[in-house]
Amino acid sequence: MAIFKGAGVAIATPFNEDHSVNYDEFEKLIEMQIANGTDAIIVCGTTGEAATMTEKEHMEVVKFCIEKVNHRVPVIAGTGSNCTQTAIELSIEAQEYGADGVLCVTPYYNKATQQGLIAHFTAIANSISIPVIMYNVPSRTGCNILPETAVYLAKNVKNIVGIKDATGNIAQTTEMMHLADGCLDLYSGNDDQIIPLIALGGVGVISVLSNVAPRQTHDICQKALEGDFESARNLQFKALPLIKALFCEVNPIPVKKALTYVGIEAGPLRLPLTEISKEHEEVLKKAMEEYGLIK
């Protein structure tokens, strides 16, 4: 049984002008998500700027999210690190706070071998009893979980249950799902590939788009999961210009600006990320207007 099916939001973390976490706006964003049909909340991932949080701050945000959601939807904590021991410690703490699962990115910079990835994910999963979703995003980490590795882990480690696939490599994903034969829950890590990955047997998306369009992203997934691919395809096509605009600069730069247009004061980004350029801000605003999110 999947931790969730449908659209899980890779939720942004609002900051105050002094770059501290803006918990009032974060709670507002959480409530907006739940009110608009988000199927799960993934906290402290890439979009949540976990890379520039201290470990203490990271886990305070996770704890806050779990408490505010209060079991209304699953909360999955981003606990990945390029240090296996750090990932273990974060995962144990997330479980203690009541997380429904953890999302662990492949070790970045280290460039682990496939054997190293097996050892890394196995060690994390064996340290906790809640489900683990692996996160494969080679463009950011320089490390790729090959199909055979992902399937080996799913078949041999009982609580490794899923993978967020942001490879953009449909051939690799197809091979992985063929080898998995149903043992691995697949989530699209790219908002422009929700339909293709669900067609391959996926169960949903971990989404940036959901931050500003939670109901619409949920509906794309729901239609596809119901087998109504024509309706799902039309909804996916309609969202493509906005999805493109949300990635006109590196995530989460555009989505934090986009949130301000829908009433969430997401605040500044932490260095080394910088504010969106004026040129791209106009592109983003126009896409949101055309999608009907702002007037």
Side-chain angles (χ1 to χ4, degrees):
M1 182 68 180
I3 305 174
F4 76 94
K5 292 184 177 181
V9 60
I11 200 165
T13 306
F15 294 136
N16 295 301
E17 288 305 312
D18 65 358
H19 293 90
S20 61
V21 177
N22 187 334
Y23 283 104
D24 290 339
E25 288 299 302
F26 190 38
E27 182 174 5
K28 187 175 170 183
L29 177 56
I30 289 167
E31 294 301 329
M32 184 191 91
Q33 292 296 317
I34 294 172
N36 286 280
T38 285
D39 298 292
I41 293 177
I42 295 81
V43 60
C44 284
T46 305
T47 312
E49 294 180 79
T52 52
M53 291 181 185
T54 65
E55 290 176 25
K56 180 176 183 293
E57 188 177 40
H58 181 148
M59 297 315 299
E60 286 172 349
V61 172
V62 168
K63 185 173 186 285
F64 179 89
C65 184
I66 291 167
E67 289 175 349
K68 293 301 176 182
V69 171
N70 193 25
H71 306 292
R72 288 177 288 172
V73 296
V75 175
I76 297 157
T79 57
S81 173
N82 67 331
C83 171
T84 304
Q85 185 57 38
T86 299
I88 287 170
E89 291 168 4
L90 295 176
S91 299
I92 290 171
E93 194 168 348
Q95 176 173 281
E96 289 172 351
Y97 291 150
D100 295 284
V102 297
L103 177 71
C104 291
V105 70
T106 51
Y108 36 89
Y109 186 76
N110 308 51
K111 298 184 77 171
T113 64
Q114 296 302 300
Q115 201 60 37
L117 291 175
I118 289 171
H120 174 78
F121 284 113
T122 299
I124 296 167
N126 285 344
S127 73
I128 56 177
S129 58
I130 57 176
V132 176
I133 298 174
M134 301 175 288
Y135 179 15
N136 197 19
V137 56
S139 64
R140 281 187 179 264
T141 64
C143 186
N144 183 23
I145 308 174
L146 294 179
E148 297 84 355
T149 302
V151 172
Y152 175 88
L153 284 162
K155 288 184 175 179
N156 289 278
V157 185
K158 65 179 181 180
N159 58 327
I160 293 181
V161 300
I163 189 165
K164 176 184 176 182
D165 187 323
T167 63
N169 186 337
I170 296 294
Q172 176 175 301
T173 306
T174 302
E175 176 66 13
M176 179 178 69
M177 294 305 284
H178 168 64
L179 294 173
D181 194 26
C183 76
L184 187 65
D185 293 328
L186 171 66
Y187 297 96
S188 176
N190 295 320
D191 285 310
D192 59 356
Q193 294 181 352
I194 299 171
I195 305 307
L197 266 63
I198 288 179
L200 288 172
V203 293
V205 63
I206 295 177
S207 170
V208 175
L209 175 66
S210 280
N211 278 278
V212 292
R215 176 63 62 184
Q216 295 90 331
T217 314
H218 165 87
D219 289 348
I220 293 170
C221 292
Q222 188 64 35
K223 291 296 183 183
L225 290 168
E226 290 172 353
D228 184 358
F229 281 98
E230 182 177 357
S231 296
R233 186 167 57 245
N234 290 336
L235 292 171
Q236 174 90 85
F237 288 164
K238 182 180 178 182
L240 281 178
L242 176 55
I243 293 167
K244 185 176 180 181
L246 287 170
F247 289 89
C248 64
E249 292 187 26
V250 69
N251 179 49
I253 292 174
V255 76
K256 291 199 81 173
K257 175 58 67 174
L259 280 166
T260 67
Y261 296 138
V262 295
I264 303 293
E265 293 301 322
L269 296 118
R270 290 182 174 180
L271 289 171
L273 299 184
T274 53
E275 300 304 313
I276 193 169
S277 70
K278 290 295 182 183
E279 177 186 357
H280 285 145
E281 184 178 348
E282 288 303 313
V283 170
L284 176 63
K285 189 173 182 180
K286 182 180 179 183
M288 292 187 73
E289 288 171 348
E290 291 177 350
Y291 196 58
L293 293 178
I294 56 175
K295 296 181 180 179

